[in-house]
Amino acid sequence: MVEPLLLLSLLLVVGWPLGRYLAAVMRGAPMRSDALFSWIERPIYAALGTRPHVGMSWRGYAGAFLLSNLLLAIVVWVIFMTQAWLPLNPDGVPNMSWDLALHTMVSFLTNTNQQHYSGQAQLSYLSQMTGIVGLQVVTPVMGLAMVAATLRGLFGGRQAMSQDSAQVKATDAKVVVDVGNYWADVTRATLRFVLPLCLVLSALLTWQGVPATLAAGPVASPVEATAEFKEQKIPLGPVSPMVAIKQLGSNGGGWYGPNSTVPLENPTPLSNFLEVFAIALIPVSIIFMVAPFTGRRKFGAMVLGTMLTMSVLTAGISLWSENNSATTLDVALMEGKEVRLGAEASALWASTTTQINNGSVNLMLDSSAPLTGMMSMINMLINAIWGGVGCGLMQFLVYLMLAVFLAGLMTGRTPELFGRKIEGPEVKLLAILVLLQPLVILGFTAITLAIPSITGNSNPGFHGISQVFYEYVSAFANNGSGFEGLGDATVWWNVSCAIVLALGRFPSLVIPLAISAMLASKRRAPEGSGTLHVETPTFALTLIGIVIILTLLQFMPVLVLGPVADHLLLTELLAR
Amino acid sequence: MTMTTSLTSRAHKGRPDDTPVADRGVWRGAIGLTVLSLAGFGFLYSLAGVGIGQALFPSTANGSIVELDGKVIGSELVAQPFVSERYFQPRPSAASYNTMSLAGSNQARTNPDMRKRLEETRAAVAQREGIEPSAVPNDLITQSGGGIDPHVSPEGASVQVARVARARGLEPSIVEGLVVQYTENKQLGVLGQARVNVLKLNLALDAHKAAPATPAAGAQSESAVPQR
């Protein structure tokens, strides 16, 4: 239990100051590093044609987000389909097919990094360095920008947040709510927060053994060359900077096919610890950012406390399942695992990578204990136990608004959040988000299982159901991990997953922003004794209850048919 | 389309309190951000990471390559197959140690095919090492996650000592000593598991000139362990 405790305490100790720093970055507050960064930022703002202090309405902000995604999508798709003709392709990798390139592009655009390809064989260095790494850096920051804008909206917009209460009246008049400047948010957070962390981690990983080179990998003559094994290609590349942002940016898509199980991507137990720490670092920092960013310390504490409770509970069950349950005595314990890491470090990663919505793996989930796989599915269905960079907190805000509405109905009080009423129009928008998840995931799972010729699962029985369900859960949650035995490099899987990926990303980032702006334009009532207090342990427990009811109960049948049945079968098999 | 950025009247500049919002100029921003993301955040950042890695840690940055007599024979971080009795053998690989098709087996624990494979591998390893099937360590039976796990557990190395010593005509204590010497313990005392790098151990065996190897007849027979 040393490693999980070490991880948690280190995260809390480092996340706290980083969160305060991030709040300053996102507020655009003056800071000592201005002298260093403003000479990079000023020409960027000039090129983008924006003035960083001038804000945008929610429509402008969301429009900027959507249009920049669209342009990135087209350019990256073209790069993948033409990489053989482009420079920096020392290993002579061919062009990607249209459907695989489409899926890969959407997958990285949505900060998911679900991979139906093997990077070392199917992507050129140029594709990796621009399309893959470029999206891995900018998409988490876009999520962060969207949640920062939503928080500004929830507290009445930047005008209200920077003023004292006497001037709040001004926002009640028909003034457009200022949710921030999208271009400045993305630029500042990338340059001042994400990239410096990445460069440090990249250097540490190279120190431990992760390659960082532009040269083609050598072809080795093995010690005992045989007829079947005459030579061995050592695949290299600019791996280390890519792995750094893959871990830090809740991305998860690795350089090599089997991700961080590959020793070149995760060479030592220390690199493994650094990588798992990096998975959680930014999402935890964002939670610590809430209090200084909004100025509501109790609110920040409630979010942190709720997430921490859920995190410890679910991580505990995963660790028990892989490391202490009856299935531990199985000879197959080390199947799909690496000797240098072992079962505990693998289970800890499996739990962290799905709580955080990262999706990288250091074990093959297909071969792990069935209940470990189930906990990963549950983490992804909730998708707000820390969650991805930005989108985790965003999903939490959705649960928060729903909980306020339901708790308000139960106690007979007006559902109010920070003094503004949640009414019919807002709840209708929330309902879209709540319904979209089961419709999309269960719908596609059912279609795929009903037509065996497109299913492509590699395991018989209950586990085969888990494989298909997991793929769509992972796609909708924008996680990216998978039961990789699935034969998913087909047109059906590529196109259907691309649809699910987009449906899991864009509505859940744009709708909460719209709701927050609708709330901001309402008259603010003073918080009094009749107000529902959201900053209490009682409300936090209510919220957890609502999360469980909303996400778990509606997926209970498929969880029972998949991992639970698989577990019962396995325990019976082992008892024989 | 001309998309000059429409900003608010200059009179409000520097007074964010009541500056109306400015939503236009979104095309110019989006094109700029696309270029900035791919060329700057992606490409230049990757170059910077490569530069730092090459400057500080040139050996690992280039893949921890192992050379023998000026010839590249592999990487410390990539398992390669050994077939003769004179060498320690790595874990079985679902990818046949082919780095272009890296993979685990991805078979579920309840998959009968996997159960069958595990029992066959266990029997083959037991026969190869001349030990009881129940004495074969798990890591020698199972396929790793990526297919190129360069390590075996210390137990996985120990059960191979007698065979390797016999094939090389060495005292088992000498081989055992090398295994102990090449055993890496938990990193920083707490992280990961104890392990032995198979390639490094085998190269150390080859370099051990004190007692020249006199392989017994038939010792070169190929391993019966299925690799897939």
Side-chain angles (χ1 to χ4, degrees):
Chain A
M1 283 305 285
V2 178
E3 201 163 333
L5 292 177
L6 197 65
L7 176 67
L8 184 62
S9 27
L10 206 58
L11 278 173
L12 296 178
V13 170
V14 182
W16 185 64
L18 266 185
R20 293 179 65 85
Y21 171 69
L22 183 59
V25 170
M26 297 314 285
R27 273 206 318 263
M31 48 176 66
R32 253 177 294 171
S33 53
D34 278 346
L36 174 65
F37 286 109
S38 54
W39 71 266
I40 315 175
E41 287 171 355
R42 230 176 277 139
I44 290 177
Y45 294 143
L48 299 182
T50 190
R51 287 191 206 171
H53 292 294
V54 180
M56 297 162 127
S57 73
W58 85 265
R59 282 174 207 281
Y61 204 97
F65 166 70
L66 291 173
L67 188 67
S68 47
N69 271 275
L70 182 70
L71 292 188
L72 277 167
I74 296 168
V75 175
V76 172
W77 195 14
V78 170
I79 290 177
F80 289 164
M81 287 191 295
T82 56
Q83 59 182 1
W85 308 320
L86 298 175
L88 259 179
N89 186 10
D91 292 325
V93 174
N95 292 331
M96 258 192 181
S97 67
W98 72 269
D99 57 311
L100 188 58
L102 174 75
H103 175 268
T104 306
M105 175 275 287
V106 176
S107 165
F108 282 80
L109 188 71
T110 54
N111 191 221
T112 309
N113 298 205
Q114 196 170 43
Q115 292 168 297
H116 293 173
Y117 67 93
S118 233
Q120 76 277 19
Q122 284 170 282
L123 281 181
S124 71
Y125 286 5
L126 184 80
S127 293
Q128 296 264 27
M129 292 169 81
T130 58
I132 299 292
V133 178
L135 289 180
Q136 284 184 326
V137 174
V138 81
T139 58
V141 179
M142 286 172 168
L144 172 62
M146 290 298 278
V147 83
T150 306
L151 283 175
R152 291 181 189 124
L154 280 182
F155 289 92
R158 275 207 302 196
Q159 306 101 319
M161 286 173 89
S162 62
Q163 287 166 357
D164 51 89
S165 52
Q167 284 167 293
V168 170
K169 275 201 183 94
T171 44
D172 289 338
K174 274 287 166 201
V175 172
V176 182
V177 179
D178 170 3
V179 296
N181 183 313
Y182 173 76
W183 315 111
D185 282 347
V186 171
T187 309
R188 284 177 67 92
T190 308
L191 292 176
R192 294 176 186 234
F193 186 69
V194 174
L195 286 185
L197 286 176
C198 285
L199 285 174
V200 172
L201 182 63
S202 170
L204 288 173
L205 289 176
T206 307
W207 168 51
Q208 286 298 299
V210 181
T213 173
L214 292 181
V219 177
S221 320
V223 176
E224 279 197 306
T226 58
E228 313 90 80
F229 204 84
K230 282 199 229 48
E231 50 188 37
Q232 189 180 37
K233 168 91 181 167
I234 309 296
L236 304 176
V239 184
S240 181
M242 191 264 200
V243 175
I245 183 59
K246 159 199 136 188
Q247 297 302 106
L248 281 166
S250 65
N251 288 296
W255 185 279
Y256 303 100
N259 216 282
S260 282
T261 62
V262 177
L264 286 167
E265 193 156 327
N266 186 10
T268 63
L270 180 59
S271 75
N272 187 69
F273 187 79
L274 289 170
E275 288 184 18
V276 79
F277 174 71
I279 290 178
L281 183 61
I282 293 184
V284 169
S285 304
I286 288 177
I287 305 312
F288 277 107
M289 175 200 82
V290 172
F293 184 71
T294 62
R296 302 271 295 217
R297 190 183 288 185
K298 277 184 168 177
F299 177 58
M302 190 278 282
V303 180
L304 181 69
T306 313
M307 289 192 174
L308 197 58
T309 309
M310 292 196 283
S311 173
V312 170
L313 277 177
T314 164
I317 300 176
S318 292
L319 285 168
W320 167 83
S321 160
E322 201 62 30
N323 215 24
N324 300 93
S325 76
T327 57
T328 318
L329 299 173
D330 193 347
V331 282
L333 179 67
M334 287 304 288
E335 181 77 14
K337 294 196 184 75
E338 301 283 307
V339 165
R340 65 192 178 284
L341 308 177
E344 185 182 78
S346 300
L348 180 63
W349 185 304
S351 178
T352 312
T353 196
T354 45
Q355 289 179 38
I356 306 294
N357 192 358
N358 183 290
S360 59
V361 289
N362 74 347
L363 85 172
M364 285 292 124
L365 280 167
D366 250 334
S367 306
S368 66
L371 291 185
T372 312
M374 182 179 78
M375 290 318 293
S376 293
M377 292 181 207
I378 289 173
N379 289 340
M380 291 189 292
L381 289 169
I382 295 173
N383 213 13
I385 315 172
W386 311 117
V389 174
C391 43
L393 180 57
M394 199 68 131
Q395 184 64 35
F396 187 89
L397 292 177
V398 170
Y399 290 135
L400 174 74
M401 289 187 269
L402 281 167
V404 165
F405 181 70
L406 294 173
L409 290 185
M410 284 191 282
T411 58
R413 290 182 181 174
T414 322
E416 273 179 4
L417 188 59
F418 308 124
R420 295 182 173 83
K421 283 186 191 132
I422 298 179
E423 293 168 303
E426 291 86 31
V427 174
K428 276 181 198 154
L429 284 176
L430 287 174
I432 295 177
L433 284 182
V434 174
L435 290 174
L436 201 59
Q437 187 194 31
L439 277 179
V440 170
I441 294 176
L442 295 177
F444 276 102
T445 304
I447 295 171
T448 307
L449 282 173
I451 309 172
S453 62
I454 58 172
T455 311
N457 50 12
S458 64
N459 286 292
F462 304 119
H463 193 84
I465 297 175
S466 296
Q467 281 188 299
V468 172
F469 180 61
Y470 195 104
E471 189 75 0
Y472 285 122
V473 170
S474 166
F476 191 83
N478 291 166
N479 181 282
S481 60
F483 280 8
E484 293 297 341
L486 192 70
D488 50 19
T490 62
V491 174
W492 165 256
W493 273 112
N494 284 333
V495 174
S496 70
C497 280
I499 296 169
V500 175
L501 287 163
L503 287 175
R505 170 84 172 177
F506 297 106
S508 61
L509 284 183
V510 173
I511 289 179
L513 176 61
I515 295 175
S516 79
M518 288 159 74
L519 290 177
S521 61
K522 293 184 186 192
R523 182 172 293 276
R524 184 171 171 208
E527 293 173 51
S529 58
T531 313
L532 177 75
H533 291 287
V534 299
E535 290 147 345
T536 62
T538 319
F539 183 80
L541 284 177
T542 315
L543 201 156
I544 293 177
I546 285 171
V547 167
I548 292 173
I549 291 166
L550 267 181
T551 55
L552 296 192
L553 292 190
Q554 56 189 353
F555 293 102
M556 195 53 101
V558 67
L559 290 176
V560 169
L561 273 177
V564 173
D566 203 25
H567 174 76
L568 295 176
L569 187 67
L570 178 62
T571 45
E572 195 199 304
L573 206 79
L574 293 177
R576 249 184 246 155
Chain B
M1 206 184 313
T2 50
M3 275 295 161
T4 43
T5 328
S6 151
L7 291 167
T8 49
S9 64
R10 279 162 195 278
H12 290 296
K13 194 185 169 194
R15 284 173 54 205
D17 309 6
D18 53 355
T19 310
V21 297
D23 286 346
R24 291 171 65 187
V26 64
W27 275 96
R28 177 167 164 190
I31 292 169
L33 187 60
T34 300
V35 175
L36 179 67
S37 302
L38 302 182
F41 301 164
F43 193 78
L44 290 181
Y45 155 68
S46 292
L47 279 188
V50 168
I52 293 172
Q54 289 284 343
L56 297 180
F57 314 105
S59 165
T60 49
N62 291 314
S64 312
I65 298 298
V66 182
E67 290 189 14
L68 196 66
D69 309 327
K71 205 172 62 171
V72 174
I73 57 166
S75 162
E76 279 177 29
L77 297 174
V78 181
Q80 53 179 266
F82 286 91
V83 286
S84 80
E85 299 267 295
R86 304 175 66 248
Y87 288 110
F88 283 86
Q89 309 229 339
R91 297 179 67 191
S93 164
S96 307
Y97 308 99
N98 178 354
T99 54
M100 283 296 121
S101 56
L102 294 173
S105 72
N106 285 313
Q107 285 174 324
R109 298 233 186 138
T110 48
N111 190 330
D113 292 346
M114 179 171 86
R115 294 285 156 191
K116 190 160 156 263
R117 168 170 57 79
L118 293 184
E119 286 317 309
E120 285 170 2
T121 311
R122 186 210 291 273
V125 174
Q127 194 193 5
R128 182 183 81 201
E129 311 299 346
I131 54 175
E132 286 296 310
S134 59
V136 179
N138 279 350
D139 57 307
L140 292 188
I141 302 174
T142 48
Q143 297 177 339
S144 66
I148 48 168
D149 191 344
H151 301 107
V152 292
S153 64
E155 302 76 42
S158 291
V159 297
Q160 303 188 42
V161 164
R163 166 188 45 91
V164 171
R166 194 166 59 245
R168 289 183 176 254
L170 286 173
E171 282 297 314
S173 62
I174 295 174
V175 180
E176 186 68 57
L178 281 173
V179 169
V180 171
Q181 190 189 333
Y182 278 84
T183 299
E184 299 167 66
N185 285 314
K186 287 190 169 196
Q187 211 169 358
L188 310 177
V190 286
L191 299 176
Q193 298 197 130
R195 61 210 180 273
V196 182
N197 187 302
V198 176
L199 178 61
K200 284 206 265 186
L201 176 61
N202 281 335
L203 290 178
L205 271 175
D206 278 348
H208 188 83
K209 301 286 185 206
T214 47
Q220 297 285 347
S221 69
E222 289 201 3
S223 151
V225 181
Q227 303 294 358
R228 163 89 213 176

